[in-house]
Amino acid sequence: MPSKSTPPVVLLHDVDAVRADLVTALESADPSLRPGLEEALRIAERHGALTDEQRMGEWVRRTLRAADIDPAADHVRAVKALREAVPGLGLIAANGLVRAAGRN
């Protein structure tokens, strides 16, 4: 159970299912569609190789970019933005996420 110092976030990713569907689609794809499907498969494989920490860091950076916040310039606003994005996210957890995302 999350506490105020741990994020109440569960990462769900179905990259394996997406990858399997792309492989199946490639097997019967029209030659004109193959390059796009092959690129999609490369993207899925790249995302499948990410750790949960990397995924979380990417989410933090995307969330802060969307809010037009530079965490290095305004750490307090960055923490506030994450807490608004995830109701129930504790101050300590949000602070840790901003700091961790800045290291990656």
Side-chain angles (χ1 to χ4, degrees):
M1 181 166 181
S3 69
K4 289 291 183 181
S5 63
T6 59
V9 178
V10 176
L11 296 176
L12 301 175
H13 40 91
D14 290 332
V15 176
D16 291 335
V18 170
R19 188 180 309 127
D21 287 350
L22 287 168
V23 168
T24 300
L26 268 168
E27 290 170 354
S28 61
D30 181 89
S32 65
L33 298 177
R34 289 188 65 78
L37 288 169
E38 289 167 347
E39 179 62 17
L41 183 57
R42 281 190 291 277
I43 291 168
E45 288 173 344
R46 189 170 60 243
H47 281 271
L50 296 176
T51 66
D52 285 349
E53 279 185 359
Q54 290 169 319
R55 289 175 206 281
M56 185 70 73
E58 281 300 312
W59 173 82
V60 169
R61 288 186 288 279
R62 270 195 321 273
T63 301
L64 296 179
R65 269 194 310 271
D68 197 28
I69 297 171
D70 176 1
D74 199 343
H75 186 87
V76 172
R77 278 187 61 222
V79 168
K80 183 176 187 263
L82 292 186
R83 293 186 75 199
E84 289 172 353
V86 180
L89 181 63
L91 181 61
I92 294 169
N95 183 57
L97 287 172
V98 171
R99 286 185 188 277
R103 289 190 299 263
N104 296 330

